[in-house]
């Protein structure tokens, strides 16, 4: 009888919370819409929650308050290899302690022959790795082989919590070209992009890609050769009265994602080379993959006039989210549990003795944001097909490797927009409610055993 009661309770808890998960409408955040107090953190994908929503990618501009996001771990110069995955922690387990993990993952990273595979199987939205330490100006490089195929995008980028972005991206239908790009606070100016052709097959040949980011300029290099430089002085926007230049602490992100999902915008699909072919010759063991062997991160000193009050974390003191609003301080970065936020760092799940009603409340809380099919940056947010146009920028570099006439068609948005809300996003969405649902099951069992 007791066994039947336990089985029934388990089934009821799982079924009830599954229904709640399916019916729950994810609260959105963005321009003109802040997160509510009970779900205070605006994730990289424009959704409100607690826990992982408040860690890497939490946007202070659209969270309930500037303090809602957990302070970001300060930069650490380090060389990363991938002989194993010991330094990679899934986003369902990471609580903000950058001393215990180098990377946070979404999707399915795999080890192979001393290297890292980012995989993308049918029904998934690919794999994303984000560094636990942030970079506020510095030099970062990655050695990698891209994936290939229509609608398949490999990316190596810097992305800040307010969506300042610097990119190297690779579309799977062009294996001899890298695309560089930059964005300021997620504004989709596709004229910022450039193409760098003449690279030996990016699928079969490993190349080293480097981004050198200073307060005054950005330089992109391939195999030690500079291919592009962008001066901050050339990015002044008289309308907004600010520089449209990446200037806030950013995470290094490595990703493989499907631009060619039918649920993405037409512009994203076209830029990515068309719809993904899941029967392609480039699919191995049921998935596409990109290979990374090494990442190097070198930190630069904070910019002149920076608010340096400590050496542990980065925060913001103004929603303008510009260079002069970043504070380097000693605020802690680690949550007690995935129910916490920047304003309640010690929030924890109820104890085993807590009532089932208390656990039911936690079961509905979104704790882990899902990776959307539109990818982690700005190019994934292309809606309608963009009209052509030449770039107006005057970057310096190897002009033979830069096709500015097609730069309007480049660009990859790593912020995840509304275009990623179809099948790909649906695969990941229940992940955000999983933690509370499992806890409800545990409490139900403990309650029955205590009877």
């Amino acid at each position: 009888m007791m066994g039947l009661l336990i089985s029934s309770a388990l089934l009821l808890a799982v079924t009830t919370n599954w229904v709640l998960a399916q019916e729950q409408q994810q609260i959105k955040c963005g321009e003109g819409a802040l997160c509510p107090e009970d779900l205070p953190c605006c994730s990289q994908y424009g959704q409100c929650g607690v826990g992982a929503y408040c860690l890497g990618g939490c946007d202070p501009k659209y969270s309930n308050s500037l303090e809602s996001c957990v302070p970001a771990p300060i930069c650490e110069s380090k060389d990363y290899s991938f002989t194993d995955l010991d330094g990679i922690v899934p986003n369902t387990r990471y609580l903000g302690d950058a001393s215990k993990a180098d990377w946070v993952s979404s999707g399915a990273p795999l080890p192979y022959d001393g290297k890292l595979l980012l995989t993308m199987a049918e029904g998934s939205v690919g794999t994303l790795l984000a560094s636990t330490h942030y970079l506020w100006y510095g030099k970062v490089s990655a050695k990698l082989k891209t994936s290939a195929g229509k609608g398949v995008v490999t990316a190596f980028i810097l992305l800040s919590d307010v969506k300042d972005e610097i990119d190297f991206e690779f579309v799977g239908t062009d294996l001899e070209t890298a695309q560089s790009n930059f964005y300021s606070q997620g504004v989709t100016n596709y004229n910022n992009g450039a193409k760098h052709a003449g690279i030996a097959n990016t699928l079969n040949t490993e190349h080293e890609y480097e981004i050198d980011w200073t307060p005054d300029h950005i330089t992109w290099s391939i195999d030690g050769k500079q291919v592009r430089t962008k001066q901050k002085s050339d990015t002044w926007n008289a309308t907004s009265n600010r520089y449209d230049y990446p200037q806030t602490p950013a995470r290094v992100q490595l990703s493989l994602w499907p631009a060619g999902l039918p649920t993405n915008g037409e512009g994203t699909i076209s830029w990515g080379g068309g719809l993904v072919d899941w029967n392609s010759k480039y699919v191995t063991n049921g998935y596409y993959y990109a290979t990374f062997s090494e990442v190097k991160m070198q930190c630069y000193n904070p910019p002149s006039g920076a608010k340096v009050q400590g050496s542990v974390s980065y925060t913001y003191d103004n929603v303008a989210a510009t260079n002069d609003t970043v504070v380097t301080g000693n605020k802690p970065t680690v949550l007690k549990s995935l129910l916490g936020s920047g304003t309640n760092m010690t929030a924890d799940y109820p104890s085993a003795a807590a009532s089932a009603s208390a656990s039911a409340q936690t079961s509905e809380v979104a704790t882990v944001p899902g990776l959307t099919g539109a990818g982690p940056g700005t190019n994934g947010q292309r809606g309608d097909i963009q009209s052509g146009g030449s770039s107006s920028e005057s970057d310096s570099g190897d002009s033979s490797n830069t096709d500015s006439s097609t730069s309007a068609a480049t660009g990859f948005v790593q912020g995840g927009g509304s275009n990623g809300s179809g099948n790909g996003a649906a695969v990941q969405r229940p992940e955000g409610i999983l933690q509370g649902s499992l806890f409800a099951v545990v409490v139900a069992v403990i309650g029955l055993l205590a009877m």
Side-chain angles (χ1 to χ4, degrees), residues 130-450:
S131 62
T132 56
H133 285 278
Y134 282 62
L135 182 77
W136 193 24
Y137 302 115
K139 183 184 296 184
V140 60
S141 63
K143 292 182 178 180
L144 64 104
K145 294 180 181 179
T146 70
S147 191
K150 295 186 298 182
V152 179
V153 176
T154 307
F156 157 50
I157 73 169
L158 297 176
L159 182 65
S160 83
D161 293 346
V162 297
K163 297 179 177 61
D164 284 346
E165 184 175 345
I166 308 172
D167 300 344
F168 262 122
E169 301 160 316
F170 309 87
V171 174
T173 53
D174 186 354
L175 301 180
E176 295 184 351
T177 301
Q179 299 187 17
S180 63
N181 218 324
F182 70 95
Y183 298 98
S184 175
Q185 297 195 5
V187 176
T188 53
N189 181 355
Y190 295 118
N191 289 324
N192 290 347
K195 290 187 175 182
H196 313 286
I199 306 172
N201 189 296
T202 61
L203 173 68
N204 298 324
T205 306
E206 182 177 79
H207 297 280
E208 183 174 28
Y209 304 91
E210 180 184 273
I211 297 170
D212 190 354
W213 175 36
T214 78
D216 300 314
H217 67 267
I218 306 166
T219 299
W220 292 260
S221 299
I222 301 175
D223 294 332
K225 181 180 181 181
Q226 295 184 8
V227 296
R228 181 185 184 192
T229 297
K230 184 66 183 181
Q231 300 292 336
K232 177 182 178 180
S233 58
D234 294 332
T235 67
W236 177 254
N237 186 324
T239 301
S240 61
N241 196 37
R242 62 183 296 274
Y243 289 99
D244 289 340
Y245 182 83
Q247 55 194 276
T248 52
R251 294 182 297 165
V252 180
Q253 296 198 358
L254 319 174
S255 62
L256 178 65
W257 63 281
L261 285 184
T263 50
N264 283 338
E266 290 185 14
T268 298
I269 295 171
S270 177
W271 171 75
L275 294 173
V276 177
D277 176 8
W278 296 105
N279 295 312
S280 168
K281 65 180 181 180
Y282 299 116
V283 174
T284 302
N285 297 324
Y287 51 79
Y288 287 94
Y289 66 90
T291 307
F292 288 76
S293 65
E294 182 182 84
V295 173
K296 294 183 178 181
M297 186 187 302
Q298 178 185 344
C299 309
Y300 291 163
N301 291 329
S304 175
K307 300 171 183 175
V308 179
Q309 302 169 5
S311 59
V312 174
S313 58
Y314 301 120
T315 56
Y316 293 86
D317 65 6
N318 191 288
V319 293
T322 48
N323 198 62
D324 57 347
T325 68
V326 178
V327 179
T328 304
N330 289 323
K331 292 184 177 180
T333 68
V334 185
L335 294 175
K336 175 72 173 178
S337 80
L338 285 176
L339 290 181
S341 69
T343 53
N344 190 2
M345 302 279 284
T346 59
D348 201 357
Y349 291 102
S351 66
S355 66
S357 61
S359 68
Q361 293 175 0
T362 65
S363 71
E364 297 181 49
V365 176
T367 59
V368 181
L371 180 64
T372 74
T378 302
N379 283 333
Q381 297 175 26
R382 294 171 179 268
D384 297 331
I385 297 176
Q386 304 292 319
S387 58
S390 60
S391 171
S392 61
E393 66 185 23
S394 56
D395 294 354
S396 62
D398 186 348
S399 60
S400 65
N401 280 357
T402 304
D403 182 3
S404 61
S405 66
T406 58
S407 63
T410 70
F412 162 65
V413 180
Q414 304 254 2
S418 59
N419 293 329
S421 58
N423 293 340
V427 172
Q428 294 288 336
R429 180 165 293 178
E431 185 179 47
I433 311 169
L434 181 61
Q435 302 296 322
S437 301
L438 288 176
F439 186 80
V441 174
V442 173
V443 171
V445 173
I446 293 174
L448 285 171
L449 290 175

Side-chain angles (χ1 to χ4, degrees), residues 85-158:
L85 302 188
D86 291 348
I88 301 174
V89 174
N91 60 359
T92 54
R93 288 170 42 206
Y94 180 67
L95 294 175
D97 191 345
S99 69
K100 295 182 178 179
D102 296 324
W103 303 90
V104 178
S105 66
S106 301
L110 296 174
Y112 178 74
D113 196 24
K115 298 181 181 180
L116 168 71
L117 298 187
L118 301 185
T119 67
M120 185 176 75
E122 186 173 9
S124 78
V125 290
T127 299
L128 167 69
L129 258 63
S131 62
T132 56
H133 285 278
Y134 282 62
L135 182 77
W136 193 24
Y137 302 115
K139 183 184 296 184
V140 60
S141 63
K143 292 182 178 180
L144 64 104
K145 294 180 181 179
T146 70
S147 191
K150 295 186 298 182
V152 179
V153 176
T154 307
F156 157 50
I157 73 169
L158 297 176

